[in-house]
Amino acid sequence: MPKTFVIAQGGGPTAVINQTLAGAVAEIERRYPDARILGARHGVRGVRDGDYVDFSDVPPARMRAIGNTPGAALGSTRDKPDAAYCEQVLKGLQKINADAFMYIGGNDTSGTQQILTDAAGGSMAFVHAPKTIDNDLMENDHTPGFISAGEFVAGAFQSVDLDFRALPGIYVGIVMGRHAGFLTAAAAAWRDDEDDGPHLIYVPERPFSTARFIDDVKRTMDKYKRCVVAVSEGVTTEDGKSLVESIVGADKVERDAHGNVKLSGSDLNRAFETALANGLPGKRARVDALGYMPRGYIGAINATDAREAYEAGQYAIQVAEEGGGSVALKYEGGKTVMRKVPLSAVAAKTRHMPEDFLAADGTHLAQPGIDYFKRLIPRKYEVGRPFV
Amino acid sequence: MPKTFVIAQGGGPTAVINQTLAGAVAEIERRYPDARILGARHGVRGVRDGDYVDFSDVPPARMRAIGNTPGAALGSTRDKPDAAYCEQVLKGLQKINADAFMYIGGNDTSGTQQILTDAAGGSMAFVHAPKTIDNDLMENDHTPGFISAGEFVAGAFQSVDLDFRALPGIYVGIVMGRHAGFLTAAAAAWRDDEDDGPHLIYVPERPFSTARFIDDVKRTMDKYKRCVVAVSEGVTTEDGKSLVESIVGADKVERDAHGNVKLSGSDLNRAFETALANGLPGKRARVDALGYMPRGYIGAINATDAREAYEAGQYAIQVAEEGGGSVALKYEGGKTVMRKVPLSAVAAKTRHMPEDFLAADGTHLAQPGIDYFKRLIPRKYEVGRPFV
């Protein structure tokens, strides 16, 4: 009987998650020409509800175009299924006689695959293909989606720094990242000279203090007459609370269906605006969130990232053949290679930035961090040095 | 005696303002090999204070690199000189025996050149070279800097729309633009299908009503299950006040040195967040400002824009030779051409979006607007149609 594969996408979209989908579909068609390949709409929700795209109806040219398109072409979901929800998902898969379920996503997605694996008892293969702009998956040197996002962030801060050279002041750019600071730190990937921005970075891995932040900005303004700051939306105060929760209060802060604090939004912007207005009165200051741009800006899709994401999709089918697991991107012998790792090594865990990526003050990259980001996100644009 | 040229840059930087500088310097060197070419740092401030770069010290390779670099390489200023300040600027120019002063900028900059022309009484040539992402200069079909900014905005909204197809909700993106809505309207330049975002645009040319906005969003959510909105920071309520002033109150709103209300910032973000939370409770909504990205993101420099900006710089030298004036980009016979226009036709005036660019409801482009934006900002990226 021909095999049946189900593919879904979970969590936040990225610039290249559709490459992983395209790579998987192409590899299934190559290995199993008779296979039925179904895409579930909006992640596990589509599996539960039987809402599928049949890829045999999709012409190859459209699949290629979709691969090059940011977003999540199947739709995504923030659902984090518990055991009961997973039971429904499993029933959905059994109903269509699925042989393998491949779920493209981050740590929550791999967690779902772990639960399903345990519940299914070996009756089908569950594969997790990595995807996240947060770069926070265990076992991975880096994750598909991160390089493009990092390239956008590096270019954004390079550009804003040029703007603030021309019209001096303080700029605070808020970058996505709840627990891991990789994406925020990527802001510094293209710094060359000591006076290049971002001059300060603040990541969730180090406790944030508003008083210290103001001191840091003051010192930078004295030195360079401008100050460009990259800060993670997920920075936390000494007591372990997110900054926005510390400011707004645990009872007033907005939360999502999972009880997670809504990090970005005007509360966080205002917190920085107020801190700067009080700490450096009269100085021109601007606070903006980069928002969704890093994870899907169509003008910043990195070619290496796109290729690796496609290969991760292809490799996921081999992992399915071997009974399931998680695809990990390892850096070996000077290049990125795909390896199978157990789902349990990735599921529901978070990889933080290594301690030695940051200097002792926590606001600058140290050499291992610089080396890592410069390797992953090589400088893309040459700039002429301004006269100011 | 060899001629002396002074060049300066004013107002907000753009992705291509340095091309205009590079074009002017190259044209002066070609026409007058012995000329002295000085760049004033931070606009008229540098002229007043005698703070110059001598371009004879700048190697051609660096000038080329600077041309390709966003920002304003000479530094810029928000100073809007009055008659007394202009007197000091004129003295500064006379002190170095300047034959011509070329000032690259928007309507304020051309206003300064008008005052200087009147004060100098024909003793030297004053030239205004156009630059603004707002696209709001009279006499111009479009302005250098606008196409790159518009391309960023079009790509940003195309990308966010893909993101919100995957994870439905409401997105409000706030775009720079105090009086003219061109840049916000450019968000719709790459829409193809009726359900493509942005689904709604709000510009300063039409009065803004929060109640109508909520109705518009509700209707869009019912139809497409998502709603992507592009809004100008300068939208004004029926009474002619900026939205942010209407919300915060005239006494509490932040103002700059010229008394202009600070439009973007957490107040405006919060106004939209609050309106959506009250008007569509429980719906996922996200409000972000695109901030500085459109005017200088290094990954979105449009080649046509760069070329035209360079040519505007070259042409400005011809205008200087002819005694001064403003360079205007006209659209004639299917192409963009440079023309000299009187400073008085541009100075301190604002060009608004033509009435017929918008549909009667004010939230969509009408055909003349679609034609204009599609001509200026051709679609850059092909996308594959998602399955949701």
Side-chain angles (χ1 to χ4, degrees):
Chain A
M1 208 175 88
K3 281 175 179 282
T4 294
F5 288 85
V6 176
I7 307 176
Q9 298 173 314
T14 77
V16 299
I17 185 172
N18 290 330
Q19 290 288 6
T20 305
L21 174 63
V25 170
E27 182 67 9
I28 297 167
E29 288 172 343
R30 190 183 73 80
R31 285 183 182 237
Y32 317 101
D34 296 333
R36 184 167 60 140
I37 317 172
L38 302 176
R41 286 194 182 87
H42 295 293
V44 281
R45 190 176 285 222
V47 179
R48 184 193 65 187
D49 301 342
D51 185 8
Y52 294 110
V53 177
D54 190 330
F55 286 110
S56 62
D57 301 333
V58 182
R62 182 171 174 207
M63 268 323 286
R64 276 194 300 275
I66 283 174
N68 291 322
T69 300
L74 287 169
S76 192
T77 180
R78 289 282 180 202
D79 288 359
K80 288 185 209 175
D82 54 13
Y85 191 132
C86 280
E87 196 56 45
Q88 292 180 287
V89 173
L90 191 57
K91 274 191 190 138
L93 291 167
Q94 285 161 341
K95 197 170 162 187
I96 56 166
N97 296 310
D99 296 282
F101 174 46
M102 171 184 162
Y103 205 3
I104 312 166
N107 20 33
D108 290 336
T109 301
S110 59
T112 300
Q113 294 295 66
Q114 178 69 64
I115 300 173
L116 287 168
T117 302
D118 295 345
S123 63
M124 66 183 86
F126 295 91
V127 183
H128 165 244
K131 170 272 354 171
T132 169
I133 62 163
D134 294 335
N135 204 37
D136 62 349
L137 298 188
M138 298 298 284
E139 298 284 336
N140 287 266
D141 172 72
H142 62 280
T143 55
F146 174 67
I147 299 180
S148 297
E151 187 172 295
F152 181 88
V153 171
F157 279 88
Q158 185 180 37
S159 305
V160 166
D161 188 45
L162 288 163
D163 199 300
F164 276 67
R165 273 182 197 268
L167 288 173
I170 303 157
Y171 174 83
V172 176
I174 299 167
V175 182
M176 280 189 179
R178 189 172 286 269
H179 301 297
F182 290 102
L183 190 58
T184 300
W190 295 350
R191 285 185 78 206
D192 265 347
D193 294 317
E194 210 228 331
D195 76 332
D196 286 344
H199 306 97
L200 300 166
I201 55 177
Y202 298 93
V203 296
E205 283 86 350
R206 299 285 175 101
F208 182 86
S209 140
T210 304
R212 214 162 46 226
F213 164 73
I214 291 296
D215 283 347
D216 294 342
V217 173
K218 273 185 186 158
R219 220 170 31 246
T220 309
M221 287 297 284
D222 288 344
K223 208 164 169 185
Y224 302 121
K225 289 188 276 184
R226 71 184 191 285
C227 182
V228 174
V229 182
V231 57
S232 297
E233 59 180 8
V235 284
T236 52
T237 42
E238 287 282 1
D239 56 7
K241 280 185 192 149
S242 66
L243 178 61
V244 67
E245 189 177 347
S246 293
I247 296 157
V248 181
D251 49 331
K252 283 192 193 144
V253 81
E254 270 189 84
R255 290 172 192 278
D256 69 13
H258 307 293
N260 293 320
V261 170
K262 188 188 163 201
L263 295 174
S264 276
S266 64
D267 284 335
L268 193 57
N269 290 32
R270 180 173 298 221
F272 281 101
E273 285 174 4
T274 306
L276 290 168
N278 295 336
L280 290 101
K283 293 280 184 211
R284 173 181 179 244
R286 172 77 179 233
V287 181
D288 274 319
L290 299 199
Y292 294 97
M293 291 304 107
R295 83 182 188 193
Y297 178 62
I298 196 164
I301 304 177
N302 176 279
T304 302
D305 196 19
R307 181 175 49 74
E308 290 177 356
Y310 188 89
E311 288 172 8
Q314 292 177 301
Y315 189 79
I317 305 312
Q318 183 175 322
V319 172
E321 183 65 43
E322 293 169 7
S326 181
V327 176
L329 274 64
K330 304 278 189 184
Y331 188 67
E332 294 175 4
K335 61 179 191 212
T336 302
V337 293
M338 306 287 155
R339 295 281 181 252
K340 174 185 156 183
V341 298
L343 280 167
S344 59
V346 181
K349 294 187 172 74
T350 297
R351 177 182 170 231
H352 295 281
M353 269 218 299
E355 188 73 18
D356 66 354
F357 273 30
L358 289 178
D361 66 6
T363 63
H364 294 86
L365 288 182
Q367 201 57 48
I370 294 170
D371 294 344
Y372 176 81
F373 290 109
K374 288 208 183 281
R375 158 166 74 80
L376 270 190
I377 311 168
R379 176 188 271 275
K380 195 164 177 183
Y381 310 102
E382 282 315 308
V383 298
R385 189 152 185 82
F387 302 108
V388 287
Chain B
M1 209 175 89
K3 281 177 180 282
T4 294
F5 288 85
V6 176
I7 308 175
Q9 298 172 315
T14 77
V16 298
I17 186 173
N18 291 329
Q19 291 287 6
T20 305
L21 174 63
V25 170
E27 183 65 10
I28 297 167
E29 288 172 343
R30 191 182 72 79
R31 286 184 180 237
Y32 318 101
D34 295 333
R36 186 167 57 140
I37 317 170
L38 302 176
R41 287 195 181 87
H42 295 294
V44 280
R45 189 176 286 220
V47 180
R48 185 192 65 185
D49 302 343
D51 186 8
Y52 294 110
V53 177
D54 190 329
F55 286 111
S56 62
D57 301 335
V58 181
R62 185 174 171 204
M63 267 323 286
R64 277 194 300 276
I66 282 174
N68 291 321
T69 301
L74 287 169
S76 191
T77 180
R78 289 282 178 202
D79 288 0
K80 289 185 207 173
D82 55 13
Y85 191 131
C86 280
E87 197 56 44
Q88 293 180 287
V89 173
L90 191 57
K91 275 194 189 133
L93 291 167
Q94 286 162 341
K95 197 169 161 189
I96 56 166
N97 297 311
D99 295 282
F101 174 45
M102 169 184 164
Y103 204 3
I104 312 166
N107 19 33
D108 291 336
T109 300
S110 58
T112 299
Q113 293 297 66
Q114 178 69 64
I115 300 173
L116 287 168
T117 301
D118 296 344
S123 62
M124 66 183 86
F126 295 92
V127 183
H128 164 244
K131 169 267 5 167
T132 169
I133 62 163
D134 293 335
N135 204 37
D136 62 350
L137 298 189
M138 298 298 283
E139 298 284 337
N140 287 268
D141 173 73
H142 62 280
T143 55
F146 175 67
I147 300 180
S148 297
E151 185 172 297
F152 181 88
V153 170
F157 279 88
Q158 184 180 39
S159 305
V160 165
D161 188 46
L162 289 163
D163 199 300
F164 276 68
R165 273 182 198 269
L167 288 173
I170 303 157
Y171 174 83
V172 176
I174 299 167
V175 182
M176 279 190 181
R178 188 173 287 269
H179 301 297
F182 291 103
L183 190 58
T184 300
W190 295 350
R191 287 186 77 207
D192 266 345
D193 295 315
E194 211 228 330
D195 76 331
D196 286 345
H199 306 97
L200 299 166
I201 56 176
Y202 298 92
V203 297
E205 283 86 349
R206 300 286 174 101
F208 183 86
S209 139
T210 303
R212 214 162 46 225
F213 164 74
I214 291 297
D215 282 347
D216 294 341
V217 173
K218 271 184 187 158
R219 220 169 32 246
T220 309
M221 286 297 285
D222 287 346
K223 206 163 171 187
Y224 302 121
K225 290 189 276 189
R226 72 184 191 287
C227 181
V228 174
V229 182
V231 58
S232 297
E233 59 180 8
V235 285
T236 51
T237 42
E238 287 283 1
D239 56 6
K241 281 187 192 146
S242 66
L243 177 62
V244 66
E245 189 177 347
S246 294
I247 296 157
V248 181
D251 49 330
K252 283 192 193 143
V253 82
E254 269 188 85
R255 290 173 191 277
D256 69 12
H258 306 293
N260 293 320
V261 171
K262 188 189 161 200
L263 296 174
S264 277
S266 63
D267 285 335
L268 192 57
N269 290 33
R270 179 173 299 220
F272 282 101
E273 285 174 3
T274 306
L276 291 168
N278 295 336
L280 290 101
K283 293 278 183 214
R284 174 181 179 244
R286 170 78 179 233
V287 181
D288 273 320
L290 299 199
Y292 294 97
M293 292 303 107
R295 83 181 188 193
Y297 178 62
I298 196 164
I301 304 177
N302 176 279
T304 303
D305 196 20
R307 181 176 48 73
E308 290 178 355
Y310 188 89
E311 288 173 9
Q314 293 177 301
Y315 189 77
I317 305 311
Q318 184 175 320
V319 172
E321 183 64 43
E322 294 169 8
S326 182
V327 176
L329 275 64
K330 304 276 189 185
Y331 188 67
E332 293 174 4
K335 61 178 191 215
T336 301
V337 292
M338 306 286 152
R339 296 281 181 251
K340 175 184 154 181
V341 298
L343 281 167
S344 59
V346 181
K349 294 189 170 72
T350 298
R351 177 181 169 231
H352 295 281
M353 272 217 299
E355 189 71 20
D356 67 353
F357 273 30
L358 289 178
D361 66 4
T363 63
H364 294 84
L365 288 182
Q367 201 56 47
I370 294 171
D371 294 344
Y372 176 81
F373 290 109
K374 287 207 183 283
R375 159 166 74 80
L376 271 191
I377 310 169
R379 177 187 270 276
K380 194 163 177 183
Y381 310 102
E382 283 315 308
V383 299
R385 190 152 184 83
F387 303 108
V388 286

